[in-house]
Amino acid sequence: MIARLSRLGLVLLLPFALASCVLAPGKFVSTLRIDADRHFTFTYVGEVIALDLGDDMLKGLGDTSSDSATNPAGDEGDGDGIPTLQQIGFQAGKDAPSGDDAKDAAKKKAAADAKNREIAVTLSKEAGYRKVAYLGDGKFSVDYAISGTLDHAFLWPYNVDAELVFPFIAIELRANNTVRMKAPAFANDTSKSSGMGMPGMDKASSQLDGVFTLDTDAEIVSQNNEDGATTTGGRKTIVWKATPLTKDAPTAVLKLAAK
């Protein structure tokens, strides 16, 4: 049942994987300042990793945990979970190396590098990017900083031309003068228990190494850092560490001054 749910989730996500670029944080330092008067500044300095989820999605759809992948002829094995000779032969045929594998891999890498260089150029044209450099092997060096007023929601990264999805941070305004901040990419939660995790995210999450700091003079309604906030001179600071072991995304709700 879980395998079927996982395949269904992959089918739903497949169009995004084929048409869009999913980015993930590597080693970084990021800050978010939100003032009670709704002024904010967000910065991110460090590595950004581009995930090629297309192949991983397709592999997930044909995962060997499914009945059709391990059981092309509908054979149920010996009933003890031990594969039959037919199943072993089928899997061996799938895994057999091809003389064209190296050429195919080189072509895919060249295509991915070309796409990532284009993404770097596209992002460099967007306000806030002080530096975007493609380092190779799907890794970028990014220096981003932007300030503004919270009279609308804020997502980063988000770029229509580069077709970026899965923002690192989202700031949501609410009707009662509160603002909710969540940074889903600064945690390693692939929702494996539901069978709906996004293939390829484990590899990126293994490189997660950063510090995210929220600085505010607004009232903190709630936050999920067990160390709480540090208060200095009327401002409150919350610091989250992001590592492969981090399961809970940094989250906070703040009360802003009434307009």
Side-chain angles (χ1 to χ4, degrees):
M1 181 64 176
I2 291 178
R4 292 190 181 92
L5 288 174
S6 180
R7 292 196 297 276
L8 175 59
L10 292 170
V11 169
L12 295 175
L13 290 169
L14 184 57
F16 292 96
L18 297 180
S20 308
C21 178
V22 177
L23 301 180
K27 190 171 184 177
F28 71 92
V29 174
S30 180
T31 64
L32 174 63
R33 174 180 173 134
I34 297 180
D35 295 335
D37 64 3
R38 299 172 186 262
H39 180 269
F40 83 98
T41 297
F42 173 74
T43 69
Y44 181 98
V45 179
E47 299 172 344
V48 171
I49 302 165
L51 304 179
D52 182 6
L53 298 188
D55 288 343
D56 289 316
M57 287 288 184
L58 294 174
K59 289 177 183 177
L61 289 171
D63 191 282
T64 55
S65 64
S66 69
D67 293 341
S68 59
T70 57
N71 244 339
D75 188 1
E76 295 298 333
D78 62 5
D80 296 319
I82 301 174
T84 64
L85 290 177
Q86 181 189 17
Q87 292 171 339
I88 294 172
F90 174 73
Q91 189 62 43
K94 286 179 58 182
D95 296 339
S98 167
D100 295 329
D101 284 351
K103 291 182 180 179
D104 290 342
K107 288 181 180 179
K108 288 182 179 180
K109 185 180 185 304
D113 284 339
K115 179 181 178 182
N116 288 333
R117 283 191 289 270
E118 291 178 3
I119 289 174
V121 172
T122 299
L123 293 181
S124 66
K125 298 176 182 178
E126 182 182 328
Y129 284 92
R130 299 182 290 193
K131 173 188 173 183
V132 185
Y134 181 55
L135 306 178
D137 293 327
K139 186 175 292 186
F140 299 81
S141 176
V142 169
D143 184 344
Y144 180 87
I146 196 166
S147 297
T149 302
L150 287 175
D151 52 10
H152 54 77
F154 173 77
L155 298 175
W156 186 84
Y158 179 81
N159 185 281
V160 174
D161 293 330
E163 298 182 313
L164 302 181
V165 297
F166 190 61
F168 289 13
I169 187 168
I171 303 175
E172 175 189 50
L173 284 176
R174 299 194 172 184
N176 58 350
N177 292 318
T178 60
V179 61
R180 180 175 183 261
M181 178 284 302
K182 187 169 185 177
F186 296 163
N188 181 11
D189 180 7
T190 55
S191 301
K192 292 178 183 177
S193 61
S194 66
M196 298 291 280
M198 192 180 285
M201 291 303 291
D202 281 344
K203 181 179 179 181
S205 296
S206 68
Q207 303 180 62
L208 185 60
D209 179 13
V211 177
F212 174 61
T213 302
L214 172 66
D215 173 52
T216 185
D217 62 353
E219 176 190 349
I220 299 176
V221 178
S222 65
Q223 55 84 30
N224 68 341
N225 187 318
E226 65 180 17
D227 292 330
T230 300
T231 302
T232 304
R235 299 196 66 87
K236 297 168 280 289
T237 301
I238 306 173
V239 180
W240 286 269
K241 297 287 182 67
T243 75
L245 298 179
T246 304
K247 297 300 180 185
D248 296 323
T251 305
V253 176
L254 308 179
K255 183 75 171 181
L256 305 177
K259 286 186 176 181

